[in-house]
Every structure is written in C-alpha cells, then in structure tokens.
Amino acid sequence: MPAETAEARTRVSVSPGKTQTCAERDGTTYCAFPEWAPRTGDWARVVERVRSLAGGAAQDRPLVVRQRVEARYGLSGDSSLPAATRPDEVTVGTSWGGNRVPEFSVAVAGVLVTGKEETVSTMCDGRMVTVMWLALAGRPDPLSDLRRVRVDDSLSGSAVVVSQTEPLNMNAAQTELVRELLRQDREEVATRVRAHWAELTAPKVTADRAARLLGLDAPDEEDACL
C-alpha cells in the first residue's frame, strides 16, 4: 500500500475534522466527509425528532454530530469506534439506513441525557430508561426498533444495545419499563419526561424511581447491571 494511502487513512481516522465540512442547523453542527455532506439532512431529522421529546436544557443544548471512520486497518477490517470524549459530541458512521438509523437515535439520546458519549456505554442506572424511550418513541415502529437495536432481538430481559460506538447495556427492569412506555401515548409520556427531566437524568437514579416518576408500577424484573 502506498505511503500516502496509509497516511490518508490515518488522517481520516484520527483527525476527521481536518478533512470534513461542517454546517449548522437548528443548533446542531453536522460535520461530514465531503462525499457524505448531502446525508446531513437525514441525520438532522433524527436529531430533531429525539431532541423534541427531551426536557430541560437538552432541548436547546448545542450538539456536534461528527462522522467518524476507522480506516487504518484496511477496507476489510471491522474495528469498532471508541466513544467520543468531547462533551455534546455524537458519532455517526459511514453507513446508513436499516438498523443504523435507530442506532444513531440511541447515540443522540445518550448524549442528550448524559452530556458525553463516553459516559453512556458505562452507564448502569435508571437513566437508561430515559435514553431508550427518547431514542425510539418518535420512530414509526418503536417496539420493532427496540428489538432491532438489541443484539438478541428480544423485548424482555437483559441485553446489549448496539449504538454507533461502544454498546450499551440494558437490564431486565429497564427493559420492562421501556417496553411499557413505548406502548403508551407518546405525548403523554413526553409530558412526564419533561416534568421530571432533572431527576430522570440524574446519575444513579434507580429503575424503581424512574417508574414512579413516569407513572408506572415498579418493575417486576431485577434492576441489576449486566
């Protein structure tokens, strides 16, 4: 492989901002590789849908959606991307459509709830209920999307959730609550989420407490980390 090719792959992998163009739309900055600039409208629709259901400062907090790729190990590699470490930055990859859309929704919701992408993959508390409802409630078929983003295609029990970078973990109690919320009227749930946003997004909130705030019975399943 020519040295200039290796250098170019390293450059886009390590410092994507040096080769990207950025555009602001409704408070969010979208940074994409030149060939992908027309796709930013699709990303923006997802961000706007997720943000419209959020509460507190998340409704207006500026975000940066940055396209990232890992190209240093060849075109046949399947290396996962590490979570972004900058506050309010959301990763989007170089594929789109199908499961990639709800996976991106999860990434956006995670940053709106926690403020930082790298925090989401290590999260083990009731905030996951808010993240997953926020990500999927605005989708055409949210329960089907819940299956699609879970590695085992389940609607019950604990599961690994695929996102744009490192996966998330849902325990059985969180899954039970998210499933019930997605079956309820979206606007009614959104009203409760906004009313209790600060507590629902506070670190270490329990699934039991999240249930009470959202008008649900306490979960029957176990609220324990994977």
Side-chain angles (χ1 to χ4, degrees):
M1 183 173 62
E4 58 268 25
T5 301
E7 291 170 0
R9 290 181 177 181
T10 298
R11 184 165 56 252
V12 299
S13 300
V14 176
S15 304
K18 293 181 178 180
T19 57
Q20 292 177 336
T21 57
C22 298
E24 190 272 337
R25 176 171 171 170
D26 295 328
T28 300
T29 301
Y30 298 89
C31 297
F33 297 114
E35 299 88 343
W36 280 80
R39 182 66 70 182
T40 57
D42 294 333
W43 303 340
R45 282 186 283 275
V46 174
V47 172
E48 290 159 12
R49 183 172 59 241
V50 175
R51 192 195 287 276
S52 71
L53 298 173
Q59 289 189 329
D60 302 309
R61 190 165 72 239
L63 297 177
V64 174
V65 173
R66 185 174 301 283
Q67 190 172 39
R68 296 169 61 205
V69 64
E70 177 50 81
R72 288 173 291 180
Y73 309 110
L75 301 180
S76 61
D78 191 26
S79 301
S80 61
L81 292 167
T85 58
R86 296 186 184 92
D88 300 324
E89 183 167 300
V90 185
T91 296
V92 65
T94 52
S95 60
W96 191 251
N99 287 8
R100 304 295 84 77
V101 182
E103 289 168 15
F104 178 57
S105 292
V106 172
V108 173
V111 172
L112 287 176
V113 168
T114 69
K116 187 179 290 188
E117 199 169 71
E118 67 175 353
T119 302
V120 184
S121 61
T122 60
M123 187 169 57
C124 179
D125 53 46
R127 288 177 293 174
M128 185 62 67
V129 176
T130 304
V131 168
M132 296 305 296
W133 179 83
L134 204 65
L136 304 178
R139 298 278 302 157
D141 191 348
L143 284 171
S144 292
D145 279 341
L146 180 59
R147 287 185 185 276
R148 291 164 67 192
V149 299
R150 288 161 62 98
V151 170
D152 62 357
D153 298 322
S154 69
L155 283 176
S156 61
S158 301
V160 172
V161 175
V162 181
S163 185
Q164 296 287 287
T165 56
E166 280 116 356
L168 291 64
N169 293 304
M170 290 182 74
N171 67 31
Q174 295 159 5
T175 301
E176 179 184 342
L177 296 181
V178 171
R179 186 179 65 238
E180 293 306 311
L181 289 172
L182 291 175
R183 288 172 172 159
Q184 296 189 9
D185 180 80
R186 180 177 61 201
E187 291 307 316
E188 291 181 3
V189 177
T191 297
R192 294 176 226 146
V193 168
R194 295 185 191 114
H196 301 287
W197 180 261
E199 192 167 356
L200 287 169
T201 59
K204 300 186 179 179
V205 64
T206 64
D208 184 75
R209 180 59 179 162
R212 290 200 297 273
L213 293 170
L214 294 168
L216 301 177
D217 293 332
D220 295 322
E221 300 289 345
E222 185 179 8
D223 185 20
C225 298
L226 294 175

